[in-house]
Amino acid sequence: MAPNTHAHEHEELDEARSWAGDFDPLGDASERKVLFSAFDSFRQYRRSAHLTTTHRRRQAFYALPKEHWQMLSEPPFSLLDNFNKVDDAIDVNADLADAIVETGLSSFGLPANPDQTDPSQNWHGIATAADVNKAHSTIRQFYRDWSAEGQAERDVCYGPVLEDLDQEFPDKLDRDEYLRVLVPGAGLGRLVFEICRAGFAAEGNEISYHQLLASSWILNHTAGPQAHELYPFALHFSNILSREQQLRKVMIPDVHPGAAMLEAQSTTETPFGTMSMSAADFVVLYSNPSQKDAFDAVATVFFIDTAPNLIRYVQAIRNCLKSGGIWINVGPLLWHFEDSRQRTHSGNDDHEGEHDQGIGEPGGVELTEEEVFLLIERMGFRIEKRQSPEERPDCGYIQDPDSMLRPLYRPSHWLARKS
Amino acid sequence: MAPNTHAHEHEELDEARSWAGDFDPLGDASERKVLFSAFDSFRQYRRSAHLTTTHRRRQAFYALPKEHWQMLSEPPFSLLDNFNKVDDAIDVNADLADAIVETGLSSFGLPANPDQTDPSQNWHGIATAADVNKAHSTIRQFYRDWSAEGQAERDVCYGPVLEDLDQEFPDKLDRDEYLRVLVPGAGLGRLVFEICRAGFAAEGNEISYHQLLASSWILNHTAGPQAHELYPFALHFSNILSREQQLRKVMIPDVHPGAAMLEAQSTTETPFGTMSMSAADFVVLYSNPSQKDAFDAVATVFFIDTAPNLIRYVQAIRNCLKSGGIWINVGPLLWHFEDSRQRTHSGNDDHEGEHDQGIGEPGGVELTEEEVFLLIERMGFRIEKRQSPEERPDCGYIQDPDSMLRPLYRPSHWLARKS
């Protein structure tokens, strides 16, 4: 799993060379496979979504007794019409997947229709079911990070980070150089963008190619605000009050990153910060001596529970944070590696045991919140602020607010200072 | 899957012959296998819980760098001590599983240590992983149905049913004979018990042997109120604030069915109803002409979304309900068969296609709530009462109230009358 050893800042808002520099996943066979699988999984979105969503349901529908499916085909039910509408929604979502593939291929100089016999370019047909599932959830994630409707989810998770930064650095506009803020697990880049918009130098870090490809597209390649349609809930058929609910459409992005930057530049009040993204294993990159004392703040949102070994995360954050710098955290403790089989970001097990560093390192432990606090304090942080359980607002994750089943988080929000 | 064709009322509170009569799953090879798998899954609870919960985590723990696991082994973390406490909790839960096996075997006249060469009695070693998972969730379910702590979940789901029955039959005590109420999907029997305690003749129906074995034990074989310990949340390590939270203990049953009945008999104010349980496929049994117009009320709680084809459920309820009788429903629409592979109650696929009736019938459809209402009205019911989405209280399902992730239902509550 070579993203451990390669890293490069990319995705500057103001230039086109998103994936340039010394970041070269194509140079390593196993790394290339992970990247190609991500590409292929987006390419397969359209076919797999039709197959598993509507095709399978049509088969089950026509397997009902004839008088049943006939009744349900007619108004007021019109269920076959609904299958068609869901197919249309899938096609709209698949257009996003295709756009991600197209801009990504262009960045890497890869052909859309590769020579199937050339392993250095043949990215077709290699995605696993797990890869395809990730493509599906990544597309849905645009709802959370880049639609107006996702604002409520963002307010709960990103709001406290922006408030803490504002409170910690009230005089940031007077400084000559930007204050640097690191966002590990940057996902689709919204928090990085918001921190940048607040005037900081924001650096995102992300290991998943699914997220990197999708964030690159939304940050650098969309045509304008509200330019693209997304049907975040169309593929799911349970706990729904009405078909209108299932087929609700949102527009993305709610804010166009480029337009927002231009707008900010036209005023002097809120200077736009700089923005970058590193494609790397968080632990390996930010534990490196080259990153020592590099950041004024680290903001982890729904991130620390991706650690098999949280101690490594704390070490990395301590390394890259300046003395007196702050670590802001918002999130639950849904330990991602509780199921030990999910051990690599590609969803494949064939990389296991290859590494002695980073997220692929053996071993794992799941701490309680109480133990997380104890650990952080023991490792050279002072916890200055923590939200009590009663104060925590409920927070959905890509959650249809009208569903009859809502998995709601009560994320922990705290602030620790490197002492 | 012969429960489709065999059915018998059993589990009368006041007698011992729980599984007697013409209900004979041992007489059919495939049915016997399903029953034996359920027995075996409870037998395997202890070993499988230790293996997948603590053994696997100890391995991951010791695979951490030595200085990491050593630090986490010492106070204030003491994580190895916590693994030991979780093992103790597993053993306490496993005692419940063993008790279920013991009383169940006794009811069926099966040996605890069967002759491994005799297929008519060898119930050891045949449970699949899915069967074992069901045993785990069934043990946890005692929290919801039979602990004082589960009262909040029961209030939201069973409360409206008891209120509707009370409102519909205010003069029930003046009647010469009991009013009959059917509870499909009776699970661990708490709603059946409560309806019975309210003075009705309550009949539960259940197809799952896991549920039937566990409900038989809790209804007929526990020693008294608060007689047994249960650690409902000990096996899960995510979204926890403290180890005390993980190791919280509850006592079951909060109310002892036999004692409650004796107490009711000593007063004349609230005569105890009768109670029975049928082990059968709901659709097959209650669509039968012998059940025509048999019930004054049907109460479905978290049940209708177990239907592959809801039309069959509505037909069965219409058949067994008296003219003017009421159907009370509380629950979400989490269609259980959305994943078409989960097609039999045993979790195996090898029965597929054998039946043209009941839950094993081919075909499936997932309706919205709006469509459910349209269907019920079209099929001869008048909806007299329905709760609007805004009025619906949140409801967990075997939910640790302090977890940092709570999947909350907003179940639909409505009342329909057979017209």
Side-chain angles (χ1 to χ4, degrees), chain A residues 56-57 60 68 238-241 243 309 333 335 338 364 366 369-371 394 401 404 406 408 410, chain B residues 56-57 60 68 238-240 243 309 333 335 338 364 366 369-371 394 401 404 406 408 410:
Chain A
R56 188 164 62 73
R57 284 192 171 80
H68 293 187
S238 274
N239 288 310
I240 302 169
L241 302 174
R243 293 298 168 198
N309 177 2
L333 291 174
W335 297 104
E338 182 155 354
E366 300 137 336
E369 183 178 272
E370 197 172 85
E371 290 159 357
D394 284 330
M404 296 167 80
R406 297 173 304 152
L408 294 178
R410 282 189 295 204
Chain B
R56 187 165 64 73
R57 284 193 170 81
H68 292 188
S238 274
N239 290 309
I240 302 169
R243 294 298 168 196
N309 177 2
L333 290 174
W335 296 105
E338 181 155 356
E366 300 138 335
E369 182 178 276
E370 196 174 86
E371 290 160 356
D394 285 331
M404 295 168 79
R406 295 173 306 151
L408 295 178
R410 283 189 294 203

Side-chain angles (χ1 to χ4, degrees), chain A residues 307-320:
Chain A
N309 177 2
L310 185 62
I311 293 173
R312 290 287 189 222
Y313 276 29
V314 182
Q315 286 173 335
I317 290 169
R318 191 168 159 74
N319 177 67
C320 73

Side-chain angles (χ1 to χ4, degrees), chain B residues 40-337:
Chain B
D40 190 45
S41 70
F42 284 114
R43 185 183 73 102
Q44 289 192 38
Y45 181 99
R46 192 178 305 268
R47 191 177 64 85
S48 68
H50 286 304
L51 191 69
T52 61
T53 309
T54 44
H55 175 70
R56 187 165 64 73
R57 284 193 170 81
R58 280 195 187 89
Q59 286 186 315
F61 187 73
Y62 285 118
L64 292 171
K66 191 176 177 189
E67 67 274 21
H68 292 188
W69 70 252
Q70 280 181 336
M71 174 177 76
L72 295 173
S73 302
E74 289 161 15
F77 303 102
S78 306
L79 288 190
L80 291 173
D81 290 349
N82 190 65
F83 288 139
N84 292 339
K85 287 178 191 165
V86 171
D87 275 331
D88 292 343
I90 286 170
D91 279 326
V92 168
N93 289 355
D95 289 344
L96 303 180
D98 287 349
I100 291 167
V101 171
E102 191 185 333
T103 57
L105 289 176
S106 162
S107 297
F108 280 101
L110 287 166
N113 295 300
D115 177 352
Q116 312 262 331
T117 64
D118 179 355
S120 75
Q121 58 162 268
N122 183 30
W123 58 277
H124 281 204
I126 61 170
T128 65
D131 293 321
V132 173
N133 283 341
K134 274 184 207 164
H136 278 244
S137 61
T138 302
I139 295 292
R140 266 168 68 92
Q141 235 176 306
F142 284 127
Y143 167 82
R144 179 176 173 86
D145 255 19
W146 291 101
S147 81
E149 290 79 359
Q151 184 71 45
E153 293 188 10
R154 295 197 295 277
D155 283 346
V156 177
C157 299
Y158 302 156
V161 172
L162 296 166
E163 284 163 30
D164 285 347
L165 287 174
D166 191 54
Q167 209 168 329
E168 174 76 11
F169 305 108
D171 60 344
K172 69 173 183 294
L173 301 185
D174 303 333
R175 301 204 185 193
D176 282 342
E177 63 184 51
Y178 284 123
L179 291 157
R180 295 190 68 197
V181 180
L182 175 66
V183 179
L188 297 186
R190 184 59 181 254
L191 180 56
V192 177
F193 169 73
E194 294 296 345
I195 291 173
C196 167
R197 185 151 74 158
F200 296 90
E203 175 166 323
N205 164 256
E206 181 55 60
I207 193 172
S208 156
Y209 283 119
H210 286 85
Q211 302 282 316
L212 287 164
L213 292 168
S215 64
S216 173
W217 175 73
I218 196 95
L219 288 167
N220 302 304
H221 299 285
T222 57
Q226 321 281 346
H228 304 269
E229 300 180 346
L230 171 70
Y231 292 88
F233 309 120
L235 283 69
H236 297 88
F237 285 68
S238 274
N239 290 309
I240 302 169
L241 302 174
S242 69
R243 294 298 168 196
E244 291 70 40
Q245 182 186 341
Q246 181 181 22
L247 291 164
R248 201 178 300 140
K249 179 178 73 176
V250 304
M251 303 302 294
I252 61 165
D254 62 319
V255 174
H256 185 250
M261 190 180 66
L262 285 175
E263 193 190 337
Q265 284 172 341
S266 70
T267 74
T268 48
E269 280 174 34
T270 51
F272 217 80
T274 64
M275 186 166 174
S276 61
M277 190 83 87
S278 66
D281 183 311
F282 167 71
V283 168
V284 175
L285 177 56
Y286 296 96
S287 299
N288 195 285
S290 69
Q291 297 283 341
K292 190 157 167 48
D293 302 335
F295 293 93
D296 299 280
V298 175
T300 51
V301 175
F302 278 64
F303 176 71
I304 66 171
D305 49 9
T306 65
N309 177 2
L310 186 62
I311 294 173
R312 290 288 189 221
Y313 276 30
V314 182
Q315 287 173 333
I317 290 169
R318 189 167 160 75
N319 177 67
C320 73
L321 205 51
K322 287 179 187 165
S323 185
I326 58 168
W327 175 8
I328 306 162
N329 179 76
V330 178
L333 290 174
L334 181 64
W335 296 105
H336 288 211
F337 293 98

